[in-house]
Amino acid sequence: MVPFVSALRPCFSGLALGLACVAAAAAGPPSPAPLAPSGDGTDVIDPRTRLAWSRCVEGMHWNGTTCTGQGQLFDRSQASAQAQARAQAEGLRWRLPRANELRRLVDKGATPPGLDPRLFPAAPRDWHWSGSAPIRQAQANPYAYDSIVQGRSGGGSRLAVSEGWAVNLATGEARGDTAKASKLPVRLVRPLD
C-alpha cells in the first residue's frame, strides 16, 4: 500500500492528470518482454528470468525453420545424465528446468493451452521431466502389505527417492509423484550469462 501511495504523490496537480496517473500506478510496472527466439533461432530467450530454453526437446534438432527428428524419452536419471552430457559437449550450463520454470512456458490463454508453436514447433504436449527435488516424505507402515510389496520399511521412506517432478506442457499441471522410471521428454534450459 505504501509504494502505491508514494507513487501517487506527484499525480495530484490536476484532476485529469491525477486520474491518468492513478490508472498508471494501479497498473504497476510495465510487463517484461515476451519470450523470443535467439539470433540463430536454436534457443528461446526469456528476458525476465534471464534463461535460454532449448527450442527443441532432446533428440530433435532445429533446422532453421522447425524442430526435426524424433524426441527421445528418458527416465529421470537418464534425463539428468543427458543434461550433463550436453553441458560438457557444448560448454554451456544446460540443466533440467525446475517445475515452476517449465510451467511458465505454458500459455494458458491459448486455445488449446500449451506451448506457443511459433517458439516451440513440433513440441510434445505431454509430461516433461523437471529437475525439482521431491519434498513429500510419506511414512510407511512395516506391517501393511502395500508397504512390503512396494519395498518400503518403517525406518523411513523410500517413496521420495523413487519419485520426481514432471510438468504437463499442455496444461501447466505439475506433479511431484512421477515415478523416476517413467520415460518422458526433456527440454533443457541454461542461464543466459
Side-chain angles (χ1 to χ4, degrees), residues 75-152:
D75 66 28
R76 181 60 171 69
S77 64
Q78 291 169 335
S80 293
Q82 176 65 20
Q84 290 174 350
R86 185 166 173 190
Q88 286 181 339
E90 295 180 13
L92 297 169
R93 296 182 314 183
W94 290 106
R95 63 174 174 82
L96 289 175
R98 291 184 289 276
N100 62 338
E101 293 169 336
L102 269 173
R103 292 182 75 200
R104 178 167 155 60
L105 297 179
V106 177
D107 182 359
K108 293 181 182 171
T111 305
L115 299 179
D116 183 339
R118 295 168 297 179
L119 295 173
F120 300 103
R125 294 182 43 83
D126 50 9
W127 294 92
H128 286 60
W129 277 121
S130 159
S132 295
I135 56 173
R136 190 172 70 148
Q137 295 290 328
Q139 286 295 338
N141 179 349
Y143 301 104
Y145 180 74
D146 285 345
S147 295
I148 295 167
V149 170
Q150 294 176 16
R152 295 187 230 153

Side-chain angles (χ1 to χ4, degrees), residues 161-182:
V161 176
S162 65
E163 295 178 341
W165 279 89
V167 175
N168 186 326
L169 292 184
T171 64
E173 178 186 1
R175 295 188 60 122
D177 61 354
T178 305
K180 287 186 176 181
S182 300

Side-chain angles (χ1 to χ4, degrees), residues 40-62:
D40 64 1
T42 59
D43 300 326
V44 173
I45 306 301
D46 184 344
R48 184 181 76 99
T49 59
R50 307 262 322 129
L51 293 174
W53 290 90
S54 180
R55 200 152 188 191
C56 305
V57 295
E58 294 301 293
M60 298 180 83
H61 301 283
W62 181 250

